[in-house]
Amino acid sequence: MIHIDNLNDGLPIFKALGSEIRIRLIKLLLDNKEMNMNELAASLGITNGALTSHVKKLEESGIITILNEHPGHGNQKICRVCVDKILIDILPDEEDISTNSYSVNIPVGHYYNYSVFPTCGLSTEKGLIGEVDDPRYFAHPSHVDAQILWLGKGFIDYRIPNMMPPGNKMDQFIISFEIGSEAPGTNSNWPSDITFFLNHTKLGTWTSPGDFGDVRGMFTPNWWFPNWNQYGMMKMIVVNRKGTFIDGLKISDVTVNKLAISPQDNISFRFQSQETTTNGGGITLFGREFGNYNQDIRVRVCYSPC
């Protein structure tokens, strides 16, 4: 997902989408999942030279990604759409007016507390950490290097650095991450009710539709097992003075005022999948070296003087 909270910042995307032929190009990729440059040029009825200009604009805007493959002679460029949603804030909320904020990226292996049950495991971009389906390895020191982790049920807690200066209060909390369900193997129809907590206050629940493995994730290492989770969905949670939202849709009335987080408080965020829920389909979290989005868990905190 691409989030545009400032119209000026969205200009490259608006320009990239302001072309009928580029819209046709995106539709072709969505229908076929991926195509090489020769296939795209033939389907669009244009030359490879003309296609290169259109592809470059879409790549620079973050809508598609280009991969190199070597099926035969020379390098063949493969194109894929790399976003599932574009969210645009036309009018700034009162919380966005303040310029006082800080951001931090948290690797998925940097959790500080957990309770996990099989199927479960974790891995760096180079290899598995310990044995799969053995929760004891979540305590192994190398868990901080994990770029992907998964659990059939349980929770994972992350500590969010509190960098607000003294005498300030939180106005807005934003967190984004790539996430999916956890099925034995993969299953695109494997719903999971994943609940989110901020400082042990329940923010709300989102239902992941499945554990995706139909194609390899764009950043998933080549050695990764083809019948295991390949990619997830990018989700963004915002907590402000109006409530809690996921991808712009309100999921609860929990506000930053209710949380009342001060500069002296610890900040923690929990991902939880309960066995007792309707859809107990587990959790998979993807770091920057796995899945379709080259990012860790990303947090932004906005604040203002009390």
Side-chain angles (χ1 to χ4, degrees):
M1 183 189 71
I2 297 176
H3 178 221
I4 301 171
D5 57 6
N6 182 296
L7 290 179
N8 289 330
D9 293 341
L11 282 176
I13 293 177
F14 303 147
K15 291 179 179 178
L17 295 176
S19 162
E20 180 181 352
I21 197 164
R22 288 195 284 275
I23 295 297
R24 287 171 55 201
L25 190 158
I26 293 171
K27 288 181 177 179
L28 280 170
L29 293 178
L30 291 174
D31 290 340
N32 296 279
K33 295 187 178 178
E34 63 179 33
M35 297 175 70
N36 65 43
M37 298 285 279
N38 290 337
E39 292 169 336
L40 280 171
S43 298
L44 294 169
I46 61 177
T47 65
N48 279 49
L51 176 65
T52 299
S53 175
H54 293 296
V55 167
K56 183 179 180 181
K57 285 184 171 61
L58 291 172
E59 183 183 24
E60 290 175 346
S61 66
I63 296 173
I64 71 172
T65 189
I66 310 297
L67 304 174
N68 288 322
E69 293 196 355
H70 310 269
H73 298 291
N75 295 339
Q76 178 61 64
K77 295 185 181 297
I78 303 295
C79 302
R80 293 181 188 170
V81 174
C82 59
V83 296
D84 57 356
K85 186 179 296 184
I86 299 175
L87 178 64
I88 304 172
D89 292 337
I90 299 296
L91 296 176
D93 288 335
E94 56 179 336
E95 291 84 2
D96 296 326
I97 297 174
S98 171
T99 58
N100 297 323
S101 67
Y102 68 89
S103 299
V104 62
N105 293 322
I106 303 173
V108 297
H110 281 219
Y111 52 83
Y112 77 96
N113 188 31
Y114 67 92
S115 175
V116 303
F117 298 87
T119 51
C120 62
L122 60 173
S123 177
T124 71
E125 70 275 20
K126 296 180 180 179
L128 293 170
I129 297 174
E131 302 291 335
V132 297
D133 296 338
D134 189 340
R136 295 178 300 172
Y137 285 98
F138 277 72
H140 194 279
S142 58
H143 77 78
V144 297
D145 299 320
Q147 288 291 320
I148 184 174
L149 62 82
W150 61 98
L151 54 140
K153 64 175 180 176
F155 66 82
I156 293 285
D157 287 339
Y158 292 88
R159 186 80 70 197
I160 310 298
N162 188 341
M163 309 302 293
M164 290 189 294
N168 284 260
K169 58 182 175 57
M170 183 182 291
D171 289 331
Q172 187 164 231
F173 176 88
I174 305 170
I175 184 169
S176 62
F177 42 83
E178 185 174 356
I179 193 168
S181 308
E182 164 47 29
T186 63
N187 190 332
S188 295
N189 184 21
W190 190 266
S192 179
D193 297 331
I194 301 174
T195 305
F196 309 101
F197 296 81
L198 185 58
N199 279 14
H200 306 293
T201 297
K202 179 180 176 181
L203 298 178
T205 299
W206 168 73
T207 301
S208 167
D211 182 4
F212 305 110
D214 53 329
V215 296
R216 183 173 294 277
M218 286 184 288
F219 298 99
T220 299
N222 289 331
W223 66 266
W224 188 248
F225 312 102
N227 59 333
W228 285 16
N229 359 40
Q230 297 294 323
Y231 64 92
M233 302 178 70
M234 179 59 63
K235 312 305 294 182
M236 183 174 67
I237 295 176
V238 176
V239 186
N240 56 32
R241 288 194 283 264
K242 297 178 181 178
T244 299
F245 303 80
I246 186 164
D247 294 346
L249 300 176
K250 192 171 186 179
I251 60 172
S252 80
D253 292 323
V254 176
T255 64
V256 287
N257 294 338
K258 179 178 180 180
L259 293 168
I261 298 174
S262 73
Q264 292 75 36
D265 294 327
N266 291 323
I267 305 176
S268 65
F269 191 87
R270 172 175 291 186
F271 300 86
Q272 181 167 311
S273 175
Q274 297 174 303
E275 188 178 30
T276 55
T277 190
T278 303
N279 301 303
I283 300 171
T284 301
L285 282 170
F286 298 82
R288 65 182 182 276
E289 301 292 344
F290 277 82
N292 282 346
Y293 301 88
N294 187 24
Q295 75 161 67
D296 299 312
I297 298 169
R298 187 172 296 168
V299 177
R300 182 184 177 202
V301 174
C302 302
Y303 56 87
S304 63
C306 295

